[in-house]
Amino acid sequence: MATVTFKGNPMTLIGSEVKVGDQAPDFTVLANDLSPVTLDTYKGAVKLISVVPSIDTGVCDAQTRRFNEEASKVENVKVLTVSVDLPFAQKRWCASNGLENVVTLSDHRDLSFGEAFGVAIKELRLLARAVFVVDSEDKVTYVEYVSEATNHPNYEAAIEAAKAAK
């Protein structure tokens, strides 16, 4: 299992660690309009899944902006940002920041995504920072569990993996 800290304190991750080559596990999260979203919602597209503890914090804001910028440059890639923020807060944040290329999804209801991808932090009921690339056949082609939740992910590696995925 991935080892993650939050501000230097060890955290317990709930769920199964996802590895390159795995079939992506299914999940149910909520779109900004409260409609359910599953892995099948984006069937046939490459998915760059950016996982953040809370979209309205510095590193999470920067991560979401960076992937939003890159999304418009990569064909057939859906950039999904998943957090436990309420859908209303995600929608308000995207609108006030003018982000149009990233889809924000909320795992607040039952941590379905967090447990399926092994990023639910037991002690905080937040998601650990991570990035996953899932190809058009739902095979995981890139995984990064960021070891310290307040650090940035490797943007370049994730973007290159999304470009290389079919």
Side-chain angles (χ1 to χ4, degrees), residues 73-149:
K73 302 174 190 171
V74 184
E75 245 181 86
N76 197 36
V77 173
K78 285 301 238 182
V79 178
L80 312 175
T81 293
V82 182
S83 72
V84 293
D85 295 302
L86 293 174
F88 314 110
Q90 291 176 337
K91 183 177 182 178
R92 184 174 52 249
W93 184 89
C94 285
S96 68
N97 289 286
L99 273 65
E100 300 170 354
N101 299 317
V102 68
V103 176
T104 54
L105 301 168
S106 176
D107 199 22
H108 87 93
R109 188 171 57 189
D110 58 10
L111 296 177
S112 172
F113 179 90
E115 290 182 13
F117 281 75
V119 292
I121 300 175
K122 179 180 178 180
E123 294 84 353
L124 302 174
R125 202 177 191 289
L126 294 174
L127 302 181
R129 188 173 315 283
V131 181
F132 305 94
V133 174
V134 178
D135 71 13
S136 61
E137 295 179 2
D138 294 337
K139 182 88 56 183
V140 178
T141 63
Y142 178 84
V143 172
E144 180 186 7
Y145 289 90
V146 180
S147 60
E148 167 55 51

Side-chain angles (χ1 to χ4, degrees), residues 57-78:
T57 60
V59 177
C60 300
D61 177 289
Q63 180 174 332
T64 304
R65 286 176 187 278
R66 176 73 184 271
F67 287 131
N68 177 71
E69 288 171 22
E70 300 295 337
S72 63
K73 302 174 190 171
V74 184
E75 245 181 86
N76 197 36
V77 173
K78 285 301 238 182

Side-chain angles (χ1 to χ4, degrees), residues 15-36:
S16 301
E17 184 175 359
V18 174
K19 294 179 174 56
V20 169
D22 288 353
Q23 197 65 23
D26 199 13
F27 56 85
T28 302
V29 292
L30 296 176
N32 291 169
D33 65 1
L34 300 179
S35 63

Side-chain angles (χ1 to χ4, degrees), residues 1-4 11-15 118-123 127-128 145:
M1 199 61 202
T3 304
V4 171
M11 296 288 124
T12 307
L13 296 181
I14 302 168
V119 292
I121 300 175
K122 179 180 178 180
E123 294 84 353
L127 302 181
Y145 289 90

Side-chain angles (χ1 to χ4, degrees), residues 49-61:
I49 305 172
S50 172
V51 185
V52 299
S54 179
I55 200 161
D56 203 20
T57 60
V59 177
C60 300
D61 177 289

